[in-house]
Amino acid sequence: MITVVGEALIDIVSRAGEPPHEHPGGSPFNVAVGLARLGAEVGLATRVGKDERGSRLVEHLRANGVHLLGDAEGLPRTSTAHATLDADGVATYEFDLVWDLPEVPLPAGTSCLHTGSLGLTIEPGASRVLAALPDIRRDVLVSYDPNPRPALVPDHEAAVRRVEEAVSLAHVVKVSEEDVEFLYPGSDYRDVAAKWLRGTGTDLVVVTRGGGGAYGATRGARVDLPGVPTDVVDTVGAGDAFMSGLLDALRRAGLLAVPRLQALRALTQDALHGLLHQAAVVGSLTCRRAGADQPTRAEVDAFLRR
């Protein structure tokens, strides 16, 4: 089982000349739904309000086969992210957020815990999640997507410290090239990946590069993957879809567990390329649809068979 910890919210998507549309969202929420659609058993520890938007999120999770962990409807209101799309479908965000989590549940049989984004940014929930990771990582593979939002982290140095602490506690890290530039202005993403692999307990770092593809690195293998061509409707949730695809590819390869870390560290370049390609296909298919509407296992398999 994969346990995902973090925020669930409503994306309010606006495009010039059109009325806004509301979609279920939140990075960990999207990852959990994406994993379930790909055939994984997944539980989500999240919090929403007892309101109409919160009910929609809970219903969406249940409809997609995601197990709800803990008291999901315990916040005073449901968080929102207002995404404004430019002419290319690329989103910028404004947030109204509430995030708290009394504890980090870990159901029996959990082999991987994924977290990140606002779940490790907004207090008081962020500190509770971070404090749980040192004990969890001993027996459970930890996956992390920083997904920092500049508008929410006015103290840049503190944001970098938080990300680096979380990276040191994660076995698998996925980060976007844009996020690397925010965290380390002017740095090459390959150098940042090498730094994280060299100085922390991380075993795999993947950098997504939008239409430019992705870069993956372990201590022994490096892969530059070209982008998967697609007709972009919007990019909302594309990075989360890639994350779902990566975790599912690792799961299907039998690598998503602490006892399999040696095999993860020993990945060949060809094997790493194959994992990244599967993840990129999931991201590409999501860009073809409005909002964070991720593909099913059947849709991904059909694309891979072409």
Side-chain angles (χ1 to χ4, degrees):
M1 181 173 182
I2 302 171
T3 294
V4 181
V5 178
E7 75 277 3
L9 50 80
I10 293 292
D11 282 321
I12 306 170
V13 182
S14 296
R15 191 191 296 267
E18 299 179 8
H21 299 278
E22 295 194 359
H23 305 276
S27 179
F29 177 97
N30 292 338
V31 171
V33 171
L35 281 165
R37 289 184 178 182
L38 293 171
E41 183 181 4
V42 57
L44 176 64
T46 193
R47 302 271 273 175
V48 299
K50 288 191 174 183
D51 50 32
E52 188 273 336
R53 285 172 168 162
S55 296
R56 284 174 56 197
L57 290 167
V58 168
E59 290 168 6
H60 188 74
L61 290 167
R62 288 174 174 156
N64 281 278
V66 177
H67 305 289
L68 281 165
L69 307 176
D71 177 17
E73 296 178 281
L75 293 181
R77 67 181 185 277
T78 298
S79 297
T80 61
H82 195 143
T84 301
L85 304 178
D86 65 16
D88 296 320
V90 177
T92 56
Y93 291 88
E94 294 181 5
F95 298 94
D96 176 21
L97 304 169
V98 186
W99 170 241
D100 192 7
L101 193 69
E103 61 179 357
V104 178
L106 204 65
T110 296
S111 64
C112 170
L113 180 141
H114 172 75
T115 189
S117 192
L118 306 180
L120 279 178
T121 303
I122 304 298
E123 299 295 355
S127 291
R128 293 198 178 104
V129 176
L130 191 65
L133 294 184
D135 288 337
I136 289 172
R137 80 181 310 271
R138 295 191 185 105
D139 301 307
V140 173
L141 187 145
V142 174
S143 163
Y144 172 55
D145 179 1
N147 198 22
R149 303 293 189 178
L152 300 176
V153 285
D155 186 337
H156 182 265
E157 290 185 3
V160 172
R161 287 195 299 271
R162 170 60 61 90
V163 167
E164 289 181 342
E165 183 179 3
V167 166
S168 73
L169 296 170
H171 303 96
V172 174
V173 177
K174 193 280 292 181
V175 65
S176 72
E177 186 177 17
E178 181 181 15
D179 293 342
V180 170
E181 177 59 27
F182 164 69
L183 294 167
Y184 308 104
S187 297
D188 188 292
Y189 59 86
R190 296 178 182 85
D191 294 336
V192 172
K195 171 187 173 183
W196 286 352
L197 288 166
R198 182 174 60 249
T200 72
T202 303
D203 298 294
L204 170 63
V205 176
V206 176
V207 183
T208 55
R209 306 184 59 233
Y215 173 76
T218 66
R219 291 179 182 84
R222 308 283 187 274
V223 170
D224 277 296
L225 183 83
V228 177
T230 192
D231 295 322
V232 176
V233 172
D234 67 46
T235 62
V236 175
D240 304 329
F242 186 103
M243 186 79 253
S244 299
L246 178 63
L247 291 176
D248 186 65
L250 289 166
R251 176 186 71 88
R252 289 162 62 85
L255 298 172
L256 206 61
V258 164
R260 296 288 293 158
L261 282 176
Q262 282 302 117
L264 179 65
R265 294 163 185 158
L267 280 172
T268 65
Q269 186 165 313
D270 285 347
L272 180 55
H273 184 281
L275 294 170
L276 296 182
H277 180 65
Q278 292 178 64
V281 166
V282 178
S284 175
L285 291 174
T286 301
C287 289
R288 295 181 178 185
R289 306 192 280 222
D293 185 7
Q294 297 190 45
T296 64
R297 175 82 263 152
E299 290 172 314
V300 173
D301 288 344
F303 185 95
L304 292 170
R305 286 195 299 267
R306 293 192 321 170

